[in-house]
Amino acid sequence: MFLSVLHAVLFIARWLSGPQAPIPPGFNGKFGVHVRKGIWADALPFRLWWQEAGGDYTIPLMTTVFWVALVCFGVLPWFRRRHYRWFWLAHSAYMVLIPTVLLHADGAYFFVAPGAVLWLVDIVARTARGGAEQVETVSAAVVGGTVCQLRFRWPGGRVREHSPAMFCRVNLPQVSSVEWHPFSLSSSPLDNECTLHVQRSELQGPGMPSWTRRLHALLGSGAPAHELVLQIDGPYGAPLSFECARVLLIAGGIGITPMHSTIRYLQQCPEAVQHARLVWSSRSLDMFEIFSPTVLIPDAILQPKLSLFCTGPEPTSHGRECSLGDVTPSRPDLLAILSEELEQGPTVVYACGPASLMQAAKLAVSRLPRELQRRCEFYDWSFVL
């Protein structure tokens, strides 16, 4: 899109630069290209005529497609979270844009080929690893008011899930037969069943409700779990390495899902690390209660330390308890928490949550003393794609 805009700007600059340069004597186009200056109307959308005999019909065709694509790829992505369906439909414009570009310019394949090759490699890789498959839905319900919990089993076992904090692309034909959305697995690779926790989006644009809202309405209506057709593509994700003996997990809101997967895995594999701490901030106490039955394993050798913070209006000034313990009614002091953990030794830190929390975590790491920064191995995950 950047190159297309640059091409349009250079065309306008050429049109303003002066009269058309004459064709060199003996020029036959074999060893060079003579670019026609064109007219100002060539830049207008939907100009389906050309003035000179034998004119280049691909210019008005390309211009028409370009201005539509500029809106589709340059404007609508800003509305992706508010109205994903517009975003998804807009990207179908590439099926018209790419053939038009190749028709307009013979050398365009230099620019189109790299992206097309990566796209084909992605399709081949997905096909080679088995692609999407329908799983056995164990249960599906709305928990905590705004979160949809999906529990399922892989048909051939969980051999592909080799690490905690992996994600899957999910499709439910009862919600939409064409939309696939990525969600983190909230279960450990060693659990017998997989779980997904999908929070209903609070953002809503005009037109059809968002996918998460439609899923919430479907599960809220009491649809039987065995009637749900749940298709999973994945899981995907790089394996986590616990080279440090200490792990600090920082989560915000529904960003707890990959951390829940990781903290359960560490309890099931006590030899992986010696110390684990989960710092979890949420606007609602309900979020803590959703995961309270599963975040800790009572008989595990490794018992992680939990630090809970609620930034919403629910806790009183003296704090409030939940099933997991005391809740501090404020935002976490990440700089103090990081300093406390790193003073005990080298620590790997994983953070996942909204943009405000991620910025605060990065800022806290940057403000650490140089000696503590050397002990910190920081990774930030984003659940917003």
Side-chain angles (χ1 to χ4, degrees):
M1 183 52 61
F2 170 76
L3 294 176
S4 299
V5 173
L6 179 63
H7 180 67
V9 170
L10 293 177
F11 171 83
I12 296 175
R14 175 176 172 78
W15 178 74
L16 295 173
S17 64
Q20 170 73 53
I23 299 177
F27 178 82
N28 57 12
K30 185 176 181 180
F31 299 103
V33 177
H34 182 267
V35 180
R36 181 177 67 88
K37 179 182 178 182
I39 60 175
W40 66 269
D42 284 336
L44 295 178
F46 306 108
R47 178 183 173 272
L48 301 180
W49 71 91
W50 53 97
Q51 293 195 359
E52 57 187 10
D56 188 355
Y57 71 93
T58 68
I59 292 179
L61 177 62
M62 185 67 239
T63 304
T64 301
V65 175
F66 165 73
W67 288 109
V68 175
L70 182 63
V71 175
C72 292
F73 297 116
V75 177
L76 290 183
W78 295 95
F79 301 95
R80 174 176 60 88
R81 295 193 66 200
R82 184 172 296 275
H83 205 296
Y84 180 84
R85 191 169 182 82
W86 285 6
F87 170 77
W88 181 83
L89 291 174
H91 272 62
S92 300
Y94 79 90
M95 301 178 66
V96 178
L97 177 62
I98 292 179
T100 304
V101 170
L102 295 175
L103 183 64
H104 174 63
D106 295 337
Y109 64 89
F110 282 112
F111 304 97
V112 175
V117 169
L118 290 176
W119 179 63
L120 291 174
V121 169
D122 178 67
I123 292 179
V124 172
R126 291 177 188 271
T127 304
R129 70 191 306 272
E133 57 185 341
Q134 183 174 335
V135 297
E136 177 190 354
T137 306
V138 177
S139 65
V142 175
V143 293
T146 62
V147 176
C148 300
Q149 183 187 73
L150 299 171
R151 191 178 300 274
F152 63 91
R153 297 190 187 97
W154 301 104
R158 305 184 63 170
V159 293
R160 286 192 284 178
E161 191 176 348
H162 56 270
S163 175
M166 301 185 75
F167 72 94
C168 298
R169 296 174 68 246
V170 181
N171 170 261
L172 278 88
Q174 291 96 328
V175 177
S176 173
S177 59
V178 295
E179 292 187 34
W180 291 79
H181 295 271
F183 296 103
S184 298
L185 287 165
S186 53
S187 52
S188 163
L190 302 179
D191 289 337
N192 294 325
E193 296 174 346
C194 292
T195 56
L196 293 166
H197 288 81
V198 181
Q199 187 172 36
R200 183 186 64 189
S201 174
E202 298 300 328
L203 299 175
Q204 180 58 44
M208 182 181 295
S210 65
W211 189 89
T212 58
R213 283 180 172 268
R214 282 176 280 157
L215 173 63
H216 184 274
L218 176 64
L219 300 188
S221 66
H226 67 273
E227 295 183 1
L228 294 179
V229 179
L230 180 59
Q231 301 185 87
I232 300 293
D233 179 17
Y236 298 102
L240 298 187
S241 60
F242 301 102
E243 298 179 357
C244 295
R246 304 175 59 85
V247 174
L248 173 62
L249 305 176
I250 302 174
I254 198 63
I256 186 61
T257 50
M259 304 307 179
H260 182 270
S261 170
T262 304
I263 204 72
R264 284 188 59 83
Y265 175 80
L266 293 177
Q267 294 174 85
Q268 294 165 336
C269 298
E271 69 280 359
V273 297
Q274 299 176 3
H275 170 80
R277 180 178 181 181
L278 172 63
V279 177
W280 185 8
S281 174
S282 176
R283 290 183 296 177
S284 171
L285 293 174
D286 291 337
M287 188 65 69
F288 300 137
E289 299 297 344
I290 292 173
F291 294 90
S292 62
T294 54
V295 68
L296 296 178
I297 301 177
D299 299 331
I301 298 176
L302 176 68
Q303 289 297 318
K305 178 181 179 181
L306 298 185
S307 300
L308 306 178
F309 300 84
C310 186
T311 59
E314 295 181 20
T316 65
S317 58
H318 301 289
R320 179 175 293 180
E321 292 185 355
C322 70
S323 300
L324 294 173
D326 294 335
V327 178
T328 303
S330 66
R331 297 180 183 276
D333 186 346
L334 295 181
L335 180 58
I337 293 173
L338 286 168
S339 300
E340 177 185 346
E341 292 295 323
L342 293 169
E343 287 173 355
Q344 304 301 318
T347 305
V348 59
V349 181
Y350 296 102
C352 182
S356 57
L357 178 68
M358 305 304 289
Q359 293 173 359
K362 294 177 183 178
L363 181 61
V365 171
S366 67
R367 289 182 174 179
L368 288 170
R370 184 68 59 86
E371 180 61 29
L372 295 184
Q373 285 187 4
R374 294 194 186 101
R375 300 180 181 181
C376 180
E377 188 176 349
F378 179 76
Y379 299 94
D380 59 311
W381 298 334
S382 175
F383 62 85
V384 178
L385 299 181

